[in-house]
Amino acid sequence: MTIEPSAGASIPTPDQILPERPLSPALKRGWKGCCPNCGEQTLFASYLTVADQCGHCGEALHHHRADDLPAWLTMVIVGHVLAVALLAVENAFSPALWVHGLIFGPFVILS
């Protein structure tokens, strides 16, 4: 079975196909939040947004999708930290509800 290119599409020549990069170094760079190709620039444009391309080597990064994991992980970590702190303050001091809002409101907004 042969696949014919669609109208306007061309089949890349062997010199246009990029060589495969070693898997282990690319994964290590990605886990550090760096470009999997060169390891020089950050993988992210902002806190939860993957950059379109590497500023150093030009590697396309837009296809790396994080989906909901970073947002979910942030909510889990912040939620557990704030819940423990809230319960500790409640058990130790039993302050009024407005005091809880005064103490923990800025933490909720900043996180």
Side-chain angles (χ1 to χ4, degrees), residues 1-5:
M1 178 171 135
T2 53
I3 300 173
E4 296 294 324

Side-chain angles (χ1 to χ4, degrees), residues 22-30 35-36:
L23 181 63
S24 181
L27 287 174
K28 288 177 186 174
R29 292 175 187 147
C35 171

Side-chain angles (χ1 to χ4, degrees), residues 2-110:
T2 53
I3 300 173
E4 296 294 324
S6 60
S10 63
I11 297 174
T13 60
D15 62 328
Q16 292 173 329
I17 298 174
L18 297 174
E20 290 189 32
R21 79 174 69 100
L23 181 63
S24 181
L27 287 174
K28 288 177 186 174
R29 292 175 187 147
W31 277 104
K32 290 180 189 176
C34 298
C35 171
N37 189 42
C38 67
E40 295 294 323
Q41 293 286 322
T42 181
L43 190 62
F44 299 98
S46 65
Y47 178 56
L48 298 176
T49 307
V50 177
D52 288 334
Q53 67 181 17
C54 176
H56 186 260
C57 69
E59 174 79 12
L61 302 171
H62 57 85
H63 57 278
H64 295 286
R65 295 178 38 194
D67 290 328
D68 293 334
L69 179 66
W72 177 83
L73 199 56
T74 301
M75 289 187 300
V76 166
I77 291 170
V78 170
H80 281 81
V81 169
L82 286 178
V84 169
L86 183 91
L87 289 173
V89 168
E90 178 63 32
N91 284 334
F93 306 109
S94 297
L97 189 58
W98 65 271
V99 176
H100 279 294
L102 205 65
I103 295 171
F104 295 105
F107 290 114
V108 170
I109 293 170
L110 291 175

